[in-house]
């Protein structure tokens, strides 16, 4: 279950998030926060469907306990750290673009 509005006031807190890497547009999305891993896992397909309807080219998705610095990290905002903690498939997709 997603957190309530009051709990979202600290939006980018250390918590469970759905992380999605895409190459069209090139960015990393974070959906959440969620109360627990199970809630995030059960919401993952819905988040992916939303992005697919927007014609996003999804490279990877995963549920992760983290504290994202932004909800959407766009191409010009990606850092070496972002790439180093992403799955290798994301970096490979960037190189092949």
């Amino acid at each position: 279950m997603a957190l309530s509005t009051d709990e979202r006031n600290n939006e980018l807190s250390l918590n469970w998030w759905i992380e999605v890497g895409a190459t069209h547009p090139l960015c990393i999305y974070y959906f959440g926060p969620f109360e627990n891993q199970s809630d995030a896992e059960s919401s993952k397909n819905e988040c992916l469907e939303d992005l697919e309807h927007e014609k996003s080219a999804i490279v990877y998705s995963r549920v992760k306990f983290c504290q994202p610095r932004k909800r959407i990290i766009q191409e010009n905002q990606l850092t070496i750290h972002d790439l180093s903690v992403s799955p290798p498939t994301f970096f490979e997709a960037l190189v092949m673009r």
Side-chain angles (χ1 to χ4, degrees):
M1 169 192 306
L3 297 176
S4 70
T5 304
D6 290 338
E7 292 167 313
R8 285 180 182 256
N9 286 338
N10 187 10
E11 282 211 9
L12 299 177
S13 63
L14 181 61
N15 223 313
W16 289 101
W17 295 84
I18 300 168
E19 178 186 75
V20 180
T23 57
H24 181 73
L26 178 59
C27 61
I28 299 173
Y29 297 97
Y30 288 93
F31 296 93
F34 295 90
E35 288 182 11
N36 55 56
Q37 183 178 10
S38 178
D39 289 345
E41 290 286 355
S42 65
S43 298
K44 188 171 152 184
N45 285 338
E46 184 179 334
C47 294
L48 295 176
E49 287 173 6
D50 288 347
L51 290 175
E52 288 169 353
H53 280 92
E54 294 176 16
K55 307 293 186 214
S56 293
I58 298 168
V59 176
Y60 77 92
S61 64
R62 62 185 174 183
V63 171
K64 185 174 173 181
F65 191 78
C66 65
Q67 183 173 7
R69 59 186 168 88
K70 296 183 77 168
R71 285 191 168 271
I72 301 173
I73 303 173
Q74 297 175 351
E75 179 176 7
N76 63 345
Q77 300 165 330
L78 288 170
T79 65
I80 296 297
H81 176 75
D82 296 324
L83 297 175
S84 70
V85 297
S86 296
T89 53
F90 187 62
F91 183 75
E92 291 167 8
L94 298 179
V95 172
M96 299 305 289
R97 302 180 359 150

